[in-house]
Amino acid sequence: MARSGSGSAKDAAFDLYQLSEEHELLRDTVRSLAEAKIAPFAAEVDEEGRFPQEALDALRAADLHAVHVPDAYGGAGADALATVLVIEEVARVCASSSLIPAVNKLGSLPVMLSGSEELKAKYLTPLAAGDAMFSYCLSEPEAGSDAAGMKTRAVRDGDHWVLNGVKRWITNAGVSEYYTVMAVTDPEKRSRGISAFVVEKSDEGVSFGAPEKKLGIKGSPTREVYFDNVRIPADRMIGDEGTGFATAMKTLDHTRITIAAQALGIAQGALDYAKGYVQERKQFGKPIGDFQGVQFMLADMAMKLAAARQLTYAAAARSERVSEGADGQGQELTFYGAAAKCFASDAAMEITTDAVQLLGGYGYTRDYPLERMMRDAKITQIYEGTNQVQRIVMARNLP
């Protein structure tokens, strides 16, 4: 598994802008697993709108379900780029399944960034072991892009906090055992009055709404999470009181890159399928891939994907440098994380739409995977901050 600070063994090669041998090996490993154990169920998972249990089982067996967890807690200790590669290769065959490693990182990263050592040991260890999944609870019915306007409250009661409120659009809700929850602890301070907590699925007062009926990623359940006088120990607060919103934003700086990775994988899967199709489909006596108009479409698709991949990997490198404590990297990561997510997701939407077009009527049917990929791509432009919000973030953090 690629780890922080690992370099390439190709000492004589010019390694800039090139993955290390360790990262390439990881990509090959995940691609083989995804094609053998995840791809065969992708269409069924989408059609039935069911959780991809086969993918979870395969990822857990290969220790790929939460590769970001440090080895101190039994994890693989994978660096940010390695995590991107895992998500990308799983998304290439099934976007819903790629949300297992992606959301495990999203949900647990606040604990890694700001949690006490006791909290890290308690929750990261079972995550690494595959005994539990993690989800992230930030958005609410009236607090989407304006996350600081949340209404969920946490009130101190002795050695406990009591939570009340509703979180919406929570990925893998009901499947995950652990939830990082942002709640208002001081209403007078707006964003500086928000704190972060770990809530367990088994805590009394935690319940879930019905699964949302979605356009895409149908295999990943999205539900509301309800907190009705949920009483949790005070030591489940992540970091100090009032630091939850800052932790949430730092988390997104890192994890928006995982959404870029998901977009890359979806787009690559669509381009791969379209390339194969145009070589086999014949019209006017020759493969349609021989026609210049089709070649131009494929060239544009590949160009956008290559640009998105370079930007995403560069953002992952900055994420790793920030994680290692490099000075002066925070604002740069904020820009690059937003840019990678925005650019890659826009590219994925364009590439999957063009891939459907290349198949003509066949692309519009569920007998082929491209309409699913096109539907799945759309959410990457929306969640973890809409692309309109990403442009605001970029403008405020220009390098």
Side-chain angles (χ1 to χ4, degrees), residues 122-123 159-161 197-198 203 231-237:
K122 181 176 181 179
Y123 290 109
D159 292 333
H160 292 76
W161 288 89
F197 302 87
V198 176
D203 288 333
R231 187 178 180 85
I232 63 173
D235 62 7
R236 288 220 225 136
M237 178 179 280

Side-chain angles (χ1 to χ4, degrees), residues 89-124:
E89 289 302 324
V90 175
R92 179 173 166 268
V93 301
C94 180
S96 293
S97 298
S98 72
L99 286 165
I100 294 170
V103 176
N104 274 339
K105 180 169 183 176
L106 173 63
S108 63
L109 194 58
V111 176
M112 290 175 58
L113 291 173
S114 304
S116 65
E117 189 55 42
E118 293 76 18
L119 211 61
K120 291 177 184 178
K122 181 176 181 179
Y123 290 109
L124 297 179

Side-chain angles (χ1 to χ4, degrees), residues 99-100 102-111 123-124 127 132-136 171-172 176-180 197-199 238:
L99 286 165
I100 294 170
V103 176
N104 274 339
K105 180 169 183 176
L106 173 63
S108 63
L109 194 58
V111 176
Y123 290 109
L124 297 179
L127 173 64
M133 291 171 56
F134 238 112
S135 287
Y136 183 81
T171 305
N172 291 341
S176 293
E177 187 64 36
Y178 305 141
Y179 299 81
T180 290
F197 302 87
V198 176
V199 175
I238 302 170

Side-chain angles (χ1 to χ4, degrees), residues 24-249:
E24 291 285 13
L25 178 61
L26 175 63
R27 183 197 292 285
D28 292 343
T29 299
V30 181
R31 178 168 292 195
S32 296
L33 177 141
E35 290 180 344
K37 302 287 184 68
I38 298 175
F41 303 97
E44 177 185 314
V45 162
D46 176 74
E47 193 74 25
E48 297 178 2
R50 66 170 179 82
F51 183 76
Q53 187 63 45
E54 297 88 354
L56 177 59
D57 292 344
L59 291 168
R60 281 195 301 207
D63 198 19
L64 294 169
H65 60 288
V67 295
H68 68 285
V69 178
D71 48 18
Y73 309 102
D79 60 44
L81 179 54
T83 305
V84 159
L85 294 174
V86 171
I87 294 165
E88 179 185 351
E89 289 302 324
V90 175
R92 179 173 166 268
V93 301
C94 180
S96 293
S97 298
S98 72
L99 286 165
I100 294 170
V103 176
N104 274 339
K105 180 169 183 176
L106 173 63
S108 63
L109 194 58
V111 176
M112 290 175 58
L113 291 173
S114 304
S116 65
E117 189 55 42
E118 293 76 18
L119 211 61
K120 291 177 184 178
K122 181 176 181 179
Y123 290 109
L124 297 179
T125 302
L127 173 64
D131 296 333
M133 291 171 56
F134 238 112
S135 287
Y136 183 81
C137 298
L138 178 65
S139 296
E140 296 184 3
E142 300 301 324
S145 295
D146 180 18
M150 68 179 64
K151 303 298 183 188
T152 296
R153 288 292 311 275
V155 177
R156 186 72 184 245
D157 182 16
D159 292 333
H160 292 76
W161 288 89
V162 180
L163 277 67
N164 283 280
V166 180
K167 294 295 181 178
R168 179 170 285 179
W169 311 123
I170 308 308
T171 305
N172 291 341
V175 178
S176 293
E177 187 64 36
Y178 305 141
Y179 299 81
T180 290
V181 180
M182 307 300 165
V184 177
T185 50
D186 187 342
E188 302 299 317
K189 295 183 179 179
R190 194 166 162 77
S191 66
R192 294 184 180 179
I194 293 172
S195 302
F197 302 87
V198 176
V199 175
E200 300 181 9
K201 178 181 176 180
S202 58
D203 288 333
E204 187 175 353
V206 175
S207 61
F208 304 93
E212 301 287 351
K213 298 177 181 178
K214 299 174 298 185
L215 174 71
I217 56 166
K218 294 183 177 181
S220 176
T222 303
R223 305 167 72 176
E224 288 189 328
V225 183
Y226 305 118
F227 305 98
D228 183 12
N229 290 319
V230 177
R231 187 178 180 85
I232 63 173
D235 62 7
R236 288 220 225 136
M237 178 179 280
I238 302 170
D240 295 331
E241 184 176 347
T243 63
F245 191 78
T247 295
M249 295 302 103

